[in-house]
C-alpha cells in the first residue's frame, strides 16, 4: 500500500518510521511518503494560510499550495488516483470498520490541515478525480490533522496481511468480530500483590474459558459502551449476562 501524507509539520510524521508501521515500510509492505506542503508555496515566507472569507477568528489554509501538491503527487492524467483522507473534527467518525475499508485500498493520501482548516474548495477539487473522505478520530479538537493521521495509519497498517505476526490476534480484539469490547487478560504469576488470576483461566477447560471470556466481554461492554451493546443486537441477552 502506498501512503502520501501532506503536512506543514512533516517532522510530526517521523513516528511512522517506528514500531510496526516502520517495520512494514522497511519490509516493503508500505510505501510511505511524507511531503512538506510548503514545498508548493512560491513566496519568501512560504505562506500556507490566509484570513477567513466572511471574517472571523483564526486563519484558513489557502487552496493554491494544496492544488499544486495534489497535482504533483497524483497527476490529473495519472494511471491511478489515491483515496484522499482529510482529518477534521467535522468529519465522519473513524472506526474499525473504516480501518478495514481503507486497508483494502492500494493508495491512500492524507491532507493534514492546521489553523481553522483547509479552504473547502480543495476537497471539492480533489473530489473531481479521487474519492475524498473527511474523517474525525473523535469528538474533541486537536491542533491539526497530524496526530489523527498517526492514529489512522496505525489502525490501517496493522490490518495489512503480513504486518501482524499472528493474524488471529486481530479477530478477538475490541471493535472487531462480535462487536463487543475485549475481555480482560492475565498472565503469570497466578497471584500478584494479593490479586489472583481468575480460577477458570487455570482450569484447562476451554469451553468454560470461552464462555467466561464472552460473559466478561458482554459485562464490560454493557458497563462502558452500552451503545455498542445496542448495536450488537444482543441487547436482552447482553443485559441478562451482565447482571448475572
Ligand atoms: N483535526 C483536529 N481535530 C481532529 C479530530 N478530532 N479528528 C481528526 N482530525 C482532527
Amino acid at each position: 500500500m502506498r501512503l502520501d501524507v501532506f503536512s506543514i509539520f512533516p517532522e510530526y510524521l517521523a513516528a511512522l518510521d517506528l514500531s510496526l508501521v516502520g517495520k512494514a515500510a522497511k519490509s516493503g509492505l508500505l510505501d510511505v511518503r511524507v511531503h512538506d506542503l510548503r514545498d508548493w508555496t512560491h513566496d519568501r515566507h512560504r505562506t500556507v494560510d490566509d484570513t477567513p472569507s466572511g471574517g472571523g477568528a483564526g486563519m484558513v489554509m489557502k487552496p493554491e499550495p494544496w492544488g499544486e501538491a495534489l497535482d504533483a503527487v497524483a497527476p490529473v492524467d495519472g494511471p491511478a488516483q489515491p483515496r484522499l483522507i482529510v482529518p477534521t473534527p467535522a468529519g465522519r467518525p473513524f472506526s474499525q470498520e473504516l480501518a478495514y475499508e481503507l486497508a483494502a485500498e492500494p493508495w491512500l493520501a492524507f491532507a493534514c490541515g492546521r489553523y481553522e482548516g483547509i479552504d473547502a474548495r480543495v476537497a471539492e477539487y480533489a473530489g473531481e478525480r479521487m474519492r475524498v473522505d473527511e474523517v474525525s478520530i473523535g469528538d474533541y479538537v486537536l491542533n491539526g490533522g497530524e496526530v489523527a493521521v498517526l492514529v489512522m495509519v496505525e489502525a490501517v497498517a496493522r490490518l495489512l496481511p503480513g504486518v501482524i505476526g499472528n493474524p488471529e490476534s486481530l479477530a478477538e480484539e475490541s471493535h472487531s468480530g462480535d462487536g463487543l469490547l475485549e475481555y480482560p487478560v492475565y498472565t503469570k504469576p497466578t497471584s500478584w500483590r494479593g490479586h489472583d488470576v481468575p480460577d477458570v483461566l487455570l482450569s484447562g477447560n476451554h469451553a468454560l474459558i470461552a464462555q467466561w471470556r464472552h460473559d466478561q466481554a458482554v459485562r464490560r461492554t454493557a458497563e462502558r459502551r452500552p451503545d455498542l451493546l445496542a448495536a450488537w443486537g444482543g441487547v436482552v441477552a447482553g443485559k441478562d449476562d451482565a447482571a448475572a
Side-chain angles (χ1 to χ4, degrees), residues 86-90 113 135-146 148-149 152:
V86 185
T88 161
V135 178
S136 167
I137 62 160
D139 292 340
Y140 40 79
V141 180
L142 305 168
N143 281 338
E146 286 78 5
V149 168
M152 289 189 270

Side-chain angles (χ1 to χ4, degrees), residues 14-191:
L16 295 177
D17 292 338
L18 304 174
S19 185
L20 188 140
V21 176
K23 266 191 219 147
K26 277 181 200 95
S27 73
L29 288 168
L30 272 181
D31 173 7
V32 182
R33 307 181 195 189
V34 178
H35 310 277
D36 185 345
L37 182 71
R38 292 192 202 273
D39 289 348
W40 289 283
T41 59
H42 304 289
D43 63 313
R44 207 157 50 89
H45 300 292
R46 310 182 83 202
T47 309
V48 293
D49 61 338
D50 208 334
T51 54
S53 302
M59 298 292 273
V60 173
M61 292 192 106
K62 295 156 59 67
E64 299 95 325
W66 283 109
E68 287 191 33
L70 290 170
D71 291 351
V73 169
V76 180
D77 55 0
Q81 296 292 331
R83 180 161 169 183
L84 180 64
I85 307 297
V86 185
T88 161
R92 63 187 273 215
F94 188 63
S95 63
Q96 190 65 22
E97 191 184 348
L98 183 53
Y100 271 106
E101 195 185 311
L102 297 182
E105 298 281 351
W107 186 7
L108 297 175
F110 293 89
C112 300
R114 283 265 150 185
Y115 316 113
E116 300 305 312
I118 304 172
D119 186 305
R121 290 169 294 177
V122 173
E124 275 172 35
Y125 168 74
E128 289 166 6
R129 68 175 193 273
M130 60 185 77
R131 170 133 189 217
V132 181
D133 292 278
E134 297 189 90
V135 178
S136 167
I137 62 160
D139 292 340
Y140 40 79
V141 180
L142 305 168
N143 281 338
E146 286 78 5
V147 171
V149 168
L150 293 176
V151 167
M152 289 189 270
V153 168
E154 180 154 323
V156 169
R158 60 195 296 282
L159 301 178
L160 299 177
V163 170
I164 290 230
N166 176 9
E168 274 178 30
S169 61
L170 293 177
E172 292 208 354
E173 63 196 10
S174 299
H175 306 297
S176 56
D178 59 13
L180 297 172
L181 298 184
E182 198 179 4
Y183 49 80
V185 295
Y186 301 84
T187 182
K188 291 175 273 305
T190 53
S191 187

